[in-house]
Amino acid sequence: MNKRLLIAAGSLLALVSTATAQVLQTATTSNNIEPGGPGDRTEYYGSGADDGFEEYGIATFTTFTGAQFGGSLTDITSATYSLTVNDRSFSDGTQFRLVLSTDQFGGNYSALSFDSAFNAENGLNPAHYTNPVHDLGVYDLGADMGTFPGGTVLDFSLNLDASAESALIAAINAGNEFSLSIHAVNVSDDITFSGVGNTFDPGDPALTIVPEPSTYAMLLGLAGLALVMIRRRR
């Protein structure tokens, strides 16, 4: 038996075992951003500036690493954002907007505020952020927000263009945090999901990333070939 080949095969299998086909992580921190700055509630709401309750929610992820993807993440096949409905009497609207940020907040969102003068619908002023923000587009609920029972989990496939995907991959491989903020599309909308630690309708925002499958196919193929060669040498 060729011990070097056996060791090589074992190393490949170990690498494959640590690199899963998908990685799911929940947000570490979240906050609701109001005109006066961050609040202290566990909301993840996108509300327009029509009734004095304007805010947008931000959720930060800090536990994704390149090691979870076999050493580094090179390409994202899909990214699914799972959000839990927070059923309120004022919930309404059928769409919302998501924005990606790679700023390093460390749980401190004091630089942010809902700027209705800049945008009355979503309240996001890019000047509040250090790094460029990436607009991930508009997402449909499929029905009015107020019709979903509290605690319902809805999944949304993120629209990552080349710039947003590159920024997200770089943050993950560097072990840096990144954030997803939620915003109203229309000034009268009140999109209501639960933030981290919400107790009214519990369910932290969660993100599932599926990497390029060819990487895993290659690793599995190499490991399998090495084991076949070992058996033949026996």
Side-chain angles (χ1 to χ4, degrees):
M1 182 188 303
N2 189 319
K3 291 185 177 180
R4 290 182 179 178
L5 194 58
L6 180 61
I7 292 172
S11 297
L12 279 171
L13 287 173
L15 179 59
V16 171
S17 68
T18 59
T20 58
Q22 64 180 31
V23 176
L24 183 154
Q25 299 289 334
T26 57
T28 307
T29 59
S30 65
N31 212 317
N32 55 304
I33 307 303
E34 302 173 342
D40 57 2
R41 298 190 296 273
T42 55
E43 299 172 353
Y44 193 65
Y45 292 179
S47 297
D50 70 323
D51 54 9
F53 293 101
E54 58 265 37
E55 62 181 281
Y56 69 82
I58 187 165
T60 299
F61 294 81
T62 65
T63 53
F64 279 100
T65 65
Q68 295 165 337
F69 300 94
S72 66
L73 178 61
T74 58
D75 187 47
I76 296 175
T77 297
S78 66
T80 302
Y81 200 28
S82 301
L83 298 172
T84 300
V85 173
N86 197 251
D87 184 22
R88 314 301 296 194
S89 60
F90 52 84
S91 301
D92 61 3
T94 61
Q95 296 178 314
F96 62 89
R97 182 179 299 278
L98 290 175
V99 175
L100 169 69
S101 167
T102 57
D103 279 17
Q104 305 298 289
F105 294 107
N108 181 358
Y109 304 103
S110 59
L112 307 179
S113 62
F114 188 103
D115 190 345
S116 59
F118 187 86
N119 190 303
E121 291 81 23
N122 65 50
L124 186 147
N125 186 338
H128 297 169
Y129 292 77
T130 301
N131 298 320
V133 295
H134 301 270
D135 188 342
L136 304 186
V138 173
Y139 299 79
D140 288 314
L141 291 166
D144 188 84
M145 187 82 226
T147 64
F148 292 99
T152 303
V153 178
L154 302 178
D155 296 327
F156 304 94
S157 180
L158 296 187
N159 302 319
L160 297 172
D161 61 17
S163 177
E165 181 178 2
S166 178
L168 181 55
I169 288 174
I172 290 173
N173 286 335
N176 291 336
E177 68 176 67
F178 61 88
S179 302
L180 293 169
S181 56
I182 186 169
H183 307 265
V185 173
N186 302 299
V187 71
S188 60
D189 290 348
D190 293 291
I191 304 301
T192 56
F193 290 109
S194 296
V196 174
N198 188 281
T199 57
F200 185 79
D201 283 316
D204 297 351
L207 180 62
T208 302
I209 293 178
V210 179
E212 173 59 50
S214 61
T215 301
Y216 301 97
M218 179 186 69
L219 289 173
L220 286 168
L222 289 173
L225 178 61
L227 289 175
V228 168
M229 293 177 67
I230 289 172
R231 292 192 182 98
R232 287 180 177 176
R233 287 177 179 273
R234 285 178 178 176

